[in-house]
Amino acid sequence: EVQLVESGGDLVQPGGSLRLSCAASGSPYDGYAIGWFRQAPGKEREDVSCISTGDGSTWLADDVRGRFTISSDNTKNTVYLQMSMLKPEDTAVYYCALDEFWCSSGEFWGQGTQVTVSS
């Protein structure tokens, strides 16, 4: 059984930082990618970032590039999303998802973690 568990969401002031974690277990694939997605109330889900745990390739959405960093620790099967210079518009539920090789629509999903950026 594939399990993805997100953690690290919190309430933070604008300009602050957070690190989200996505711990994966039970992947049926040797090579897989973990994507981060977010969904704010009343808005569609949007892609945030992706990393291949195989070759380390990464991708970041335009509106987070330069502020967010994605990384992985394959010894812990955990992917991290380091978020800095947070803005109120970053407020959303953040989800991680697993796909074979590279991120697409998300074959397996975590339960989400809330990030709120507010003063």
Side-chain angles (χ1 to χ4, degrees), residues 16 24 28 41 48 59 75:
V48 176
W59 171 85
T75 65

Side-chain angles (χ1 to χ4, degrees), residues 30-51:
D30 289 334
Y32 62 90
I34 295 290
W36 284 99
F37 303 79
R38 66 186 180 186
Q39 187 163 24
K43 295 188 177 181
E44 293 187 356
R45 187 182 69 201
E46 59 177 333
D47 300 353
V48 176
S49 187
C50 179
I51 187 166

Side-chain angles (χ1 to χ4, degrees), residues 24-98:
S25 61
S27 171
Y29 309 119
D30 289 334
Y32 62 90
I34 295 290
W36 284 99
F37 303 79
R38 66 186 180 186
Q39 187 163 24
K43 295 188 177 181
E44 293 187 356
R45 187 182 69 201
E46 59 177 333
D47 300 353
V48 176
S49 187
C50 179
I51 187 166
S52 164
T53 62
D55 64 9
S57 300
T58 62
W59 171 85
L60 289 161
D62 288 344
D63 60 348
V64 304
R65 192 172 297 124
R67 301 188 297 122
F68 292 10
T69 302
I70 190 168
S71 62
S72 68
D73 183 341
N74 290 348
T75 65
K76 297 181 179 179
N77 294 324
T78 300
V79 168
Y80 304 99
L81 186 68
Q82 178 68 49
M83 307 186 295
S84 60
M85 296 181 284
L86 283 161
K87 305 175 182 179
E89 50 264 44
D90 294 318
T91 296
V93 178
Y94 284 69
Y95 300 89
C96 65
L98 185 151

